[in-house]
């Protein structure tokens, strides 16, 4: 009985739909706006009409101008990175001094006073604690600078303008202009960037944005870039230009990432994710002067500490794994040494080495611990004294000392360049992979998003290595 | 007219500061569910933070919030669960990016829907407001970003606005915590029924559509006499909304209106 | 590492790339060819023959076996076998050399056409595929959709009457709305009409028409006609077409006295510091994107001006109802304005 009535209602609605024709939605929307106009007419008084604030319009004219639009974008990126790199230096070494050189020995002292067996002490203090301490020392300062700066730009209203300026490039690569926004979020954290792709309402373009988000260098990878650029790239030029050269290299890698993002988007939209670009519409909000101190306070408390916490949660077990593989022996080689040996030839083809590849495998959960792992493993295989023993992560106080260890491990400028490239182009961290799965609900696309960048990384480093060796 | 224009209210209950407790993420055993709806970038998350004491991310671009967030506050010994939603331009669309918000507004059964609008762009914001008023009769308009409206020399008569919309209107600058106490007070009054809304119904619709909606909602009311928003269901049926049709077919609809 | 040589490594790599390319290159890659070969082509041939017969019979032409073999780009023997097969199944009758559809044959053909046009409608409304690709994709899909799937599709799309080219879609019972119109090539000067159909075959001409940005639903007015070309105005732009192109565009002629507004323009040609009123959104924008534009305030009567130009030329930001909204040119070109 009831079912019949419901069917009647649906049938009636179908009939009526034919009667009122396909203008229904248009008419309804117009009707609602007409009501809105009537209401506004009574209650709102606008002496200036619909015009925007003069100041806003002026800023917009500059930010989106033919001459200034793009240079300003690069300049802002450069300034943010410069402040991050330069500003993080000092607190980073202070933290390292405190956590690694003061607290670590103290903990070791306690442990031996308590009479802990060597393996427990090594596992907990040299493995877990050191990994966590390293991550804090390396990540906290740059993040505490980068995130507030980024949030200030975000609150000001700059991000939508970036999307506005870049949209044409996205259109050419078959992607959605709002991908610029998710890409920017990716510079902080790829997992956050992947979630942010929800603002893209076309499924095809959203997938492209998800798959290519990994090409935005995330905060876990900035420190690697900065450190390697400082040690190796900075050293190729006279000391007075070292800072600029290394800054240039880091920015170069970030921009290279953006190029790869466009390239991959284009390739995807020409092949597996074929389809025409859908529509794009973006509301450009008014500029809002950010509340400086409040922004800084909340972005440190929220973003920085939350991301840091995540890094620590991943670093602790990774530290344990590193310690274990360096201290468990098969025959007379530790697992780590054995892995490094077997990867060395393969790594050589790509201008990398076994240490780097093993470090990347160990560091799948969190990119932040790549560099300490590399250092520790290098010490392990070269047998030079500098660290604190097998499987102990450490950071040497100055970049110079770190550089010496790496050079002793056979590193050249090529290794450094390729490490920077590989750090840009490799699989997303485990959190991001999980987020991609949650957002796409598809194993297939998750696999594509995880594998594609590694393949590209290998291809690019391979080509660079061969060409380099041909000409150098 | 039962609606009291909030801005010029001399007699109504005043905000009781001592009765407010921000509960953060604790949303256990609440008495009322409050939804925060509105166009993108109108300050919903900022209002949410002001009410719950949480730090939901805000940012000056449309689309900052993409998932729904919950928090709570307690006022005059009643617990409120507050739901921050992603921004939406319209309930009439079927686009994926707005799905979370649309579904909650339509099917989440909030006790009160707080519609956060940008005071300096009221006209375009009213598009969504008028749609929401078609489906609920417990709503509060939060006229946010009043500071910006002032900077633009825009004057808004909240009294006539409240009269025309048939719901209470609270001017606010959420970022500076202005108007938040009044907002809480109003929410509680609407939730408790001491303010009864008489929401605006869309008028400027062509005759043939109006008639079709009329006919359909008569049929719907025959079937579901208690349906509060039969007109809206009629709109959706005319639009051919598969979601609503399925709900009707499977009968889950009954749950949704009860 | 004594055999290692960077040059050798590069060459090996290039070799692998080349192989990969040969395998997976679009259309002619070996991988696709192998894949295709394994699919049953019989059904496709039968259905293609039925369609061809139907279209020709509709135009009053009958085909003989030779014609069919010639027009179908398939193995000749397979085509001839298929025709025999169809005769035994009672889909066609062969009298002498001529092949004619039986009732059940033409029903079958209509089903395929229905699937084809519905799929085009689907592609147009629900996906972002380029217009020039719709036909090709539907050519493949029409063979894959079962009858139930087709009906479900029709239901989901709200039982549309026309495909995006303006061709009528057969109903389940095989009824089809009639298309009454005149090709643009036959219009006299000063005739006013509304474009109701653009032929999607042959491909080259269709692509040219699409490149001109001409779309269904636009009102046109012919201003010049000569054997070499036809010129008409539409939405503030002048279009010059060769007769062969104009012949593929059908319009329904409007009454002379209907007021054709010469000054209807497209939003994308608005200049800085100009103000305009919105007249409407072209029928070309459908579904979700149409709703979004309406919700953003692009409704009849709203006033609009340019807020920001783009360093790369596109998108531009338009000031509408107090807010700046960025749109790409292809979308703006489908919003009609009046200065
Ligand atoms: N000047 C001023 N700015 C405000 C006010 N309220 C919010 N804002 C700012 O407006 C911007 C948007 O605020 P959000 O709270 O993120 O807006 P939302 O509605 O949650 O946005 P979506 O999540 O994108 O839908 C932020 O930069 C806020 O700081 C206000 O009262 N005055
Ligand atoms: Mg928000």
């Amino acid at each position: 009985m009831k079912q019949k009535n419901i069917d009647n209602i649906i049938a009636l609605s179908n009939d009526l739909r034919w009667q009122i024709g396909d203008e229904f939605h248009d008419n309804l929307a117009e009707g609602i706006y007409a009501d809105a106009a009537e209401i506004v007419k009574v209650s709102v008084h606008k002496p200036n009409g619909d015009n925007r604030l003069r100041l806003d319009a002026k800023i917009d004219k500059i930010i989106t101008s033919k001459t200034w639009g793009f240079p300003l974008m690069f300049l802002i990126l450069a300034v943010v990175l410069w402040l991050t790199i330069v500003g993080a230096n000092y607190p980073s070494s202070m933290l390292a001094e405190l956590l690694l050189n003061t607290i670590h020995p103290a903990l070791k002292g306690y442990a031996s006073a308590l009479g802990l067996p060597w393996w427990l002490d090594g596992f907990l203090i040299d493995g877990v604690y050191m990994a966590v301490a390293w991550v804090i020392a390396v990540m906290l300062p740059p993040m505490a600078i980068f995130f507030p700066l980024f949030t200030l730009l975000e609150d000001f209203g700059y991000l939508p303008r970036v999307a506005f300026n870049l949209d044409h490039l996205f259109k050419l690569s078959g992607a959605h202009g709002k991908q610029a926004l998710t890409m920017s979020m990716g510079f902080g954290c790829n997992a956050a960037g992947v979630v942010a792709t929800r603002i893209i309402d076309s499924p095809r373009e959203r997938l492209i944005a998800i798959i290519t988000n990994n090409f935005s260098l995330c905060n876990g990878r900035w420190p690697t870039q900065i450190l390697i650029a400082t040690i190796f790239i900075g050293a190729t030029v006279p000391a007075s230009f070292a800072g600029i050269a290394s800054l240039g290299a880091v920015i170069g890698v970030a921009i290279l990432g953006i190029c790869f993002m466009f390239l991959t988007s284009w390739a995807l939209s020409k092949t597996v994710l074929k389809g025409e670009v859908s529509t794009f519409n973006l509301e450009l909000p008014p500029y809002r002067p950010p509340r400086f101190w409040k922004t800084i306070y909340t972005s440190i408390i929220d973003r920085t500490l939350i991301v840091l916490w995540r890094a620590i949660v991943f670093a602790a077990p990774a530290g344990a794994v590193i310690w274990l593989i360096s201290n468990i022996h098969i025959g007379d080689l530790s697992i780590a040494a054995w892995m490094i040996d077997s990867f060395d030839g393969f790594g050589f083809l790509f201008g990398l080495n076994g240490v780097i590849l093993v470090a990347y495998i160990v560091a799948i959960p969190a990119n932040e611990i790549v560099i300490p792992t590399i250092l520790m493993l290098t010490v392990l295989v070269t047998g030079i004294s500098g660290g604190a023993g097998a499987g102990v992560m450490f950071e040497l106080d100055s970049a110079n000392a770190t550089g010496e260890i790496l050079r002793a491990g056979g590193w050249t400028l090529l290794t450094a360049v390729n490490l920077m490239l590989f750090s840009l182009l490799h699989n997303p961290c485990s959190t991001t992979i999980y987020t991609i799965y949650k957002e796409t609900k598809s194993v297939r696309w998750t696999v594509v998003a995880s594998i594609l960048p590694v393949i590209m990384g290998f291809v690019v480093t391979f080509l660079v290595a061969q060409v380099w060796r041909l000409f150098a | 007219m039962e609606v009291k224009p909030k801005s010029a209210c001399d007699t109504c209950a005043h905000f009781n500061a001592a009765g407010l407790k921000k509960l953060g993420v604790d949303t256990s055993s609440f008495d009322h569910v409050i939804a925060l709806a509105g166009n993108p970038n109108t300050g919903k998350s900022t209002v949410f933070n002001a009410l719950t004491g949480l730090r939901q991310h805000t940012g000056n671009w449309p689309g900052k919030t993409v998932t729904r967030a919950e928090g709570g506050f307690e006022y005059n010994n009643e617990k409120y669960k507050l739901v921050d939603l992603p921004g939406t331009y319209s309930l009439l669309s079927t686009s994926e990016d707005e799905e979370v918000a649309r579904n909650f507004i339509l099917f989440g059964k909030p006790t009160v829907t707080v519609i956060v609008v940008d005071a300096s762009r009221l006209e375009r914001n009213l598009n969504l407001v008028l749609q929401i008023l078609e489906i609920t009769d417990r709503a509060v308009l939060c006229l946010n970003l009043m500071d910006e409206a002032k900077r633009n020399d825009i004057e808004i008569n909240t009294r006539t606005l409240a009269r025309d919309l048939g719901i209470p209107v609270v001017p606010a600058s959420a970022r500076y915590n202005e108007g938040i106490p009044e907002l809480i007070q109003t929410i509680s009054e609407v939730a408790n029924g001491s303010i009864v809304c008489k929401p605006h119904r869309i008028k400027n619709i062509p005759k043939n559509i109006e008639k079709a909606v009329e006919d359909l909602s008569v049929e719907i009311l025959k079937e579901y006499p208690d349906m509060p928003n039969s007109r809206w269901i009629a709109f959706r049926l005319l639009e051919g909304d598969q979601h609503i049709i399925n709900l009707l077919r499977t009968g889950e609809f009954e749950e949704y209106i009860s | 590492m004594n055999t290692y040589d960077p040059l050798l490594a590069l060459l090996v790599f290039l070799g692998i790339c080349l192989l990969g390319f040969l395998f997976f290159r679009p259309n002619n890659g070996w991988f696709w060819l192998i894949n295709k070969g394994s699919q049953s082509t019989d059904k496709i041939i039968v259905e293609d023959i039925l369609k061809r017969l139907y279209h020709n019979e509709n135009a009053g032409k009958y085909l003989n076996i030779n014609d069919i073999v010639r027009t179908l780009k398939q193995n000749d023997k397979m085509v001839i076998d298929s025709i025999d097969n169809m005769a035994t199944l009672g889909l066609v009758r062969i009298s002498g050399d001529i092949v004619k559809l039986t009732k059940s044959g033409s029903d079958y053909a209509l089903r395929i056409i229905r699937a084809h046009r519905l799929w085009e409608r689907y592609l147009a409304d629900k996906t972002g595929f380029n217009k020039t690709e719709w036909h090709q994709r539907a050519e493949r899909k029409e063979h894959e959709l079962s009858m139930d799937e087709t009906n479900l599709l029709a239901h989901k799309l709200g039982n549309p009457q026309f495909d995006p080219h303006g061709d009528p879609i057969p109903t389940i019972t095989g009824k089809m709305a009639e298309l009454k119109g005149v090709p643009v090539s036959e219009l006299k000067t000063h005739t006013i009409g509304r474009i109701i159909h653009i032929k999607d075959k042959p491909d080259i001409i269709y692509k040219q028409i699409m490149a001109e940005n001409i779309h269904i639903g636009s009102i046109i007015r012919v201003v010049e006609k000569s054997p070499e070309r036809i010129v008409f105005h539409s939405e503030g732009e002048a279009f010059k077409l060769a007769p062969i192109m104009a012949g593929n565009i059908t319009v329904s002629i409007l009454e002379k006295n209907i007021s054709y507004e010469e000054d209807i323009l497209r939003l994308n040609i608005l200049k800085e510091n100009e103000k305009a009123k919105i007249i409407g959104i072209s029928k070309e924008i459908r579904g979700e994107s149409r709703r979004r534009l309406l919700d953003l305030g692009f409704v009849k009567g709203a006033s609009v001006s340019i807020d920001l130009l783009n360093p790369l030329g596109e998108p531009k930001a338009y000031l509408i109802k107090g807010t700046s909204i960025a749109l790409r040119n292809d979308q703006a070109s489908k919003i009609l304005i009046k200065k």
Side-chain angles (χ1 to χ4, degrees):
Chain A
M1 173 60 204
K2 191 143 213 168
Q3 196 55 43
K4 208 174 126 235
N5 287 340
I6 290 168
D7 283 343
N8 276 345
I9 293 178
I10 294 172
L12 177 66
S13 74
N14 282 337
D15 279 353
L16 288 171
R17 194 161 348 129
W18 278 109
Q19 278 175 32
I20 56 181
D22 58 352
E23 302 257 291
F24 172 67
H25 194 95
D26 290 41
N27 290 334
L28 187 55
E30 278 158 22
I32 296 175
Y33 267 113
D35 273 27
E38 279 173 15
I39 293 172
V40 164
K41 203 169 163 203
V42 176
S43 303
V44 178
H45 178 59
K46 273 192 192 180
N48 302 333
D50 264 348
N51 291 333
R52 296 173 55 210
L53 275 185
R54 288 266 291 288
L55 184 64
D56 267 36
K58 265 206 186 119
I59 299 177
D60 258 340
K61 274 260 148 34
I62 299 170
I63 282 184
T64 64
S65 78
K66 266 207 165 66
T67 11
W68 296 111
F70 280 83
L72 260 177
M73 244 160 33
F74 292 124
L75 189 71
I76 290 177
L77 181 67
V79 169
V80 169
L81 287 184
W82 182 76
L83 284 175
T84 309
I85 294 173
V86 173
N89 243 338
Y90 183 64
S92 237
S93 52
M94 257 179 29
L95 275 173
E97 177 66 31
L98 177 71
L99 294 174
L100 305 171
N101 294 350
T102 316
I103 299 188
H104 180 248
L107 282 177
K108 291 292 267 190
Y110 277 127
S112 62
L114 282 175
L116 285 187
W118 72 270
W119 53 269
L120 187 61
D121 153 23
F123 181 81
L124 287 180
I125 299 174
D126 293 338
V128 177
Y129 169 77
M130 283 299 264
V132 170
W134 209 92
V135 166
I136 294 180
V138 170
M139 292 202 42
L140 184 59
M143 273 170 29
I145 298 174
F146 180 82
F147 275 140
L149 286 179
F150 185 82
T151 315
L152 284 178
L153 278 179
E154 191 182 345
D155 272 351
F156 180 56
Y158 186 61
L159 293 194
R161 271 73 186 181
V162 173
F164 178 73
N165 282 347
L166 288 178
D167 174 65
H168 191 62
L169 299 179
F170 281 100
K171 186 184 170 190
L172 291 180
S173 39
H176 198 284
K178 287 187 185 170
Q179 196 174 320
L181 297 172
T182 64
M183 178 188 83
S184 312
M185 301 299 290
F187 281 130
C189 168
N190 291 141
V194 169
V195 178
T197 59
R198 291 192 187 189
I199 54 172
I200 299 174
D201 57 0
S202 134
R204 186 188 75 89
E205 283 150 9
R206 181 161 175 232
L207 258 178
I208 293 181
I210 289 178
I211 294 173
T212 57
N213 196 271
N214 189 41
F215 296 119
S216 298
L217 272 184
C218 68
N219 62 66
R221 293 183 274 169
W222 289 113
T224 312
Q225 300 288 348
I226 294 168
L227 189 68
I228 298 297
T230 317
I231 296 173
F232 286 93
I233 313 276
T236 57
V237 293
S240 46
F241 295 109
I244 303 232
S246 41
L247 177 68
V250 175
I251 294 176
V253 170
I255 289 177
L256 194 68
I258 298 178
C259 296
F260 274 112
M261 185 270 303
F262 278 121
L263 195 76
T264 315
S265 303
W266 176 82
L268 284 171
S269 72
K270 283 283 168 285
T271 54
V272 273
L273 285 172
K274 212 160 168 343
E276 180 74 351
V277 280
S278 67
T279 56
F280 163 82
N281 44 62
L282 176 69
E283 185 178 327
L284 298 173
Y287 290 105
R288 297 191 167 129
R291 293 219 287 165
F292 193 79
W293 293 112
K294 186 154 185 201
T295 305
I296 291 194
Y297 171 77
T298 44
S299 66
I300 289 183
I301 295 294
D302 288 353
R303 295 230 226 168
T304 311
L305 292 188
I306 285 174
V307 175
L308 188 70
W309 173 242
R310 181 192 86 85
I312 290 172
V313 166
F314 281 107
V321 168
I322 295 169
W323 188 85
L324 284 176
I325 61 169
S326 325
N327 283 281
I328 297 180
H329 290 253
I330 301 176
D332 47 358
L333 276 183
S334 66
I335 297 185
W338 178 79
M339 281 170 76
I340 290 167
D341 266 2
S342 39
F343 277 122
D344 243 352
F346 186 63
F348 175 78
L349 262 188
F350 302 99
L352 301 168
N353 56 37
V355 168
I356 296 176
L357 294 182
V358 172
Y360 268 98
I361 294 173
V362 173
I364 285 177
N367 283 298
E368 295 80 4
I369 52 175
V370 164
I371 283 291
T373 314
I374 287 176
L375 283 178
M376 184 274 299
L377 294 176
T378 306
V379 171
L380 181 78
V381 285
T382 53
I384 38 171
S385 62
V392 184
M393 277 200 205
F394 59 92
E395 184 190 34
L396 295 145
D397 305 342
S398 72
N400 277 338
T402 314
E404 252 141 53
I405 291 205
L406 291 178
R407 286 200 189 89
W411 285 50
T412 60
L413 189 54
L414 171 65
T415 326
V417 168
N418 272 359
L419 174 60
M420 286 173 80
L421 289 174
F422 194 70
S423 150
L424 173 71
L425 301 171
H426 70 89
N427 56 286
C429 71
S430 54
T431 316
T432 308
I433 295 179
Y434 178 62
T435 313
I436 293 175
Y437 176 71
K438 269 201 313 198
E439 293 296 313
T440 58
K441 296 194 187 68
S442 144
V443 177
R444 199 173 115 221
W445 289 118
T446 312
V447 170
V448 170
S450 318
I451 305 282
L452 190 74
V454 201
I455 296 179
M456 290 180 64
F458 279 130
V459 169
V460 169
T461 49
F462 173 83
L463 289 177
V464 169
Q466 311 317 316
V467 172
W468 186 292
R469 283 172 192 149
L470 266 183
F471 293 102
Chain B
M1 186 84 240
E2 298 98 314
V3 175
K4 295 178 246 174
K6 288 306 297 180
S7 60
C9 175
D10 310 313
T11 51
C12 58
H14 275 292
F15 177 65
N16 166 17
L20 177 70
K21 236 193 272 166
K22 297 178 181 177
L23 294 176
V25 286
D26 174 20
T27 56
S28 52
S29 70
F30 47 86
D31 302 299
H32 304 290
V33 181
I34 314 295
L36 280 173
N39 279 24
N41 208 32
T42 52
K44 295 176 294 301
S45 303
T46 312
V47 171
F48 177 87
N49 292 346
L51 289 176
T52 59
L54 289 172
R55 280 187 299 268
Q56 175 71 1
H57 289 184
T58 64
N60 189 11
W61 52 285
K64 177 74 200 183
T65 310
V66 286
T67 52
R68 116 182 179 215
E70 295 181 358
F73 67 91
E74 189 180 314
Y75 182 60
N76 290 345
N77 297 323
E78 280 188 292
K79 283 190 174 177
Y80 295 80
K81 178 168 101 173
L82 200 62
V83 182
D84 182 26
L85 296 170
T88 27
Y89 286 109
S90 163
L91 301 179
L92 290 167
S93 76
T94 48
S95 65
E96 282 181 30
D97 55 340
E98 300 187 333
E99 196 171 303
V100 175
R102 225 172 31 232
N103 282 351
F104 192 84
I105 298 169
L106 289 173
F107 309 116
K109 296 179 225 163
T111 326
V112 181
T113 309
V114 177
I115 316 169
V116 183
V117 297
D118 178 347
S120 42
R121 295 178 181 72
L122 189 58
E123 185 177 346
R124 63 166 46 247
N125 280 249
L126 282 181
N127 179 33
L128 178 73
V129 175
L130 295 179
Q131 292 178 29
I132 294 179
L133 293 189
E134 283 281 334
I135 58 168
T136 176
D137 44 14
R138 281 163 185 263
V140 176
L141 190 79
C142 173
L143 205 50
N144 194 29
L145 295 153
M146 278 307 280
D147 54 319
E148 271 183 19
K150 280 205 193 86
R151 209 143 40 95
N152 283 298
D153 291 331
I154 297 173
E155 287 160 29
I156 302 179
N157 184 340
T158 46
R159 188 190 284 266
T160 51
L161 188 61
R163 182 199 64 204
D164 287 347
L165 291 175
I167 54 169
V169 173
V170 186
S173 294
R175 205 207 248 202
Y176 307 100
N177 273 317
E178 280 165 30
I180 298 300
E182 292 83 348
L183 183 63
I184 294 176
Q185 174 66 27
T186 314
I187 291 174
S188 77
E189 283 175 46
V190 174
N192 294 324
S194 41
I195 295 181
V196 178
C197 304
K198 195 165 177 306
H200 173 97
R201 294 287 134 129
I202 301 166
K203 297 192 196 83
N204 282 301
I205 315 177
K207 285 259 155 41
N208 58 342
I209 294 183
E210 185 60 56
K211 173 140 193 329
V213 169
E214 227 21 69
D215 292 354
L216 254 184
S217 63
V218 167
E219 288 301 314
I220 296 169
L221 281 178
K222 263 191 219 154
E223 201 55 39
Y224 304 99
D226 310 323
M227 175 89 69
N229 43 21
S230 59
R231 255 168 70 95
W232 183 259
I233 306 290
F235 278 131
R236 298 312 297 154
L237 284 178
L238 287 177
E239 180 109 16
D241 183 335
Q242 211 56 41
H243 198 70
I244 297 274
I245 293 177
N246 287 345
L247 277 176
L248 269 178
R249 282 240 164 83
T250 54
E252 275 164 42
F253 215 67
E254 312 225 274
E255 242 166 72
Y256 148 59
I257 45 171
S258 61
Chain C
M1 285 293 128
N2 24 15
T3 57
Y4 170 78
D5 172 14
L7 199 58
L8 185 70
L10 269 181
L11 287 179
V12 170
F13 175 76
L14 284 181
I16 295 176
C17 286
L18 189 69
L19 262 173
F21 175 72
L22 286 177
F23 254 88
F24 293 111
R25 133 182 84 142
N27 299 329
N28 293 324
W30 296 340
F31 180 80
W32 314 123
L33 291 185
I34 293 168
N35 244 3
K36 215 189 210 163
S38 62
Q39 266 169 24
S40 108
T41 46
D42 290 356
K43 181 168 179 268
I44 297 182
I45 295 181
V46 169
E47 293 179 351
D48 281 347
I49 297 175
L50 285 172
K51 258 191 348 183
R52 197 121 329 167
L53 289 171
Y54 182 87
H55 287 309
N56 276 291
E57 288 183 14
N58 242 14
K61 271 200 306 198
Y62 290 96
L63 298 183
N64 60 31
I65 296 180
N66 258 340
D67 295 332
I68 299 174
V69 170
R70 214 165 1 92
T71 52
L72 228 55
K73 289 185 202 82
Q74 291 281 359
N75 182 317
D76 292 0
K77 181 165 171 330
M78 272 162 79
V79 175
I80 294 171
D81 286 351
S82 299
I83 297 177
D84 286 342
N85 229 340
M86 288 157 72
T88 31
L89 288 173
L91 293 172
V92 293
R93 239 173 311 139
I94 307 179
S95 46
D97 205 18
I98 302 288
V99 185
K100 278 188 189 168
L101 283 175
T102 62
K103 173 80 178 63
S104 74
S106 81
D107 283 352
Y108 192 169
L110 270 174
R111 264 198 337 256
I112 304 301
I113 293 169
R114 176 169 151 86
H116 180 103
R117 293 186 178 164
L118 276 170
W119 192 251
E120 286 189 326
R121 182 89 241 172
Y122 166 79
L123 290 175
D125 286 6
K126 308 272 171 177
T127 72
F129 286 107
N130 193 315
K131 290 186 250 196
T132 52
E133 277 183 42
W134 294 341
H135 181 69
Q136 283 306 322
R137 288 184 173 269
E139 278 289 279
R140 263 172 277 147
K141 193 72 186 180
E142 64 187 13
H143 306 296
E144 292 163 19
L145 287 172
S146 74
M147 193 140 137
D148 285 342
E149 282 167 341
T150 313
N151 291 342
L152 190 69
L153 183 67
H155 180 73
K156 282 243 168 82
L157 295 172
N159 291 317
Q161 282 185 297
F162 292 93
D163 80 359
H165 307 294
D167 284 317
I169 300 174
T171 61
I172 301 184
T173 51
K175 274 192 232 115
M176 230 193 304
E178 218 163 293
L179 198 63
K180 282 190 231 104
V182 187
V184 171
S185 51
E186 283 165 27
L187 293 181
K188 293 201 200 62
T189 42
H190 304 306
T191 327
I192 296 169
R194 182 195 300 275
I195 299 181
I196 53 171
H197 180 228
I198 299 175
K199 250 199 216 155
D200 54 358
K201 285 171 285 190
D203 220 27
I204 314 168
I205 294 187
Y206 181 63
K207 282 194 178 139
Q208 277 173 349
I209 297 176
M210 286 301 119
E212 291 278 350
N213 215 346
I214 295 173
H215 35 73
I216 290 181
S218 315
I219 295 184
I220 67 165
R221 178 158 172 267
V222 181
V223 292
E224 185 194 323
K225 192 186 170 192
S226 67
E228 291 84 45
R229 62 175 200 179
I230 288 150
V231 182
F232 60 83
H233 284 175
S234 174
E235 295 168 356
E237 281 179 52
F239 297 90
K240 302 187 183 83
L241 299 185
I244 179 160
M245 276 163 81
N248 278 1
I249 305 172
T250 313
V251 297
S252 78
I253 297 175
L254 299 177
E255 295 295 317
K256 265 273 150 44
N257 52 13
I258 204 166
S259 65
Y260 169 71
E261 300 191 66
E262 274 290 349
D263 48 353
I264 291 187
L265 304 170
R266 296 173 174 187
L267 180 57
N268 62 321
I269 55 177
L270 191 68
K271 303 220 175 48
E272 244 189 317
N273 302 324
E274 285 180 339
K275 253 193 167 25
K277 277 222 164 358
I278 293 195
I279 301 289
I281 302 175
S282 153
K283 282 277 176 296
E284 192 78 349
I285 298 193
R286 286 167 293 250
E288 211 40 69
S289 45
R290 186 182 189 90
R291 287 182 206 158
R292 178 54 61 85
L293 281 180
L294 289 167
D295 287 332
L296 287 174
F298 291 91
V299 288
K300 212 180 278 172
S303 70
V304 61
S305 61
I306 295 233
D307 186 44
L308 282 178
L309 297 172
N310 193 291
L312 298 177
E314 205 194 0
K316 289 179 207 154
Y318 301 94
L319 190 66
I320 183 141
K321 293 197 189 283
T323 296
S324 178
I325 291 186
L327 291 183
R328 288 176 178 168
N329 281 347
D330 53 354
Q331 221 181 0
S333 76
K334 286 159 198 152
I335 296 174
L336 305 179
I337 53 166
K338 195 173 164 185
K339 274 190 208 163

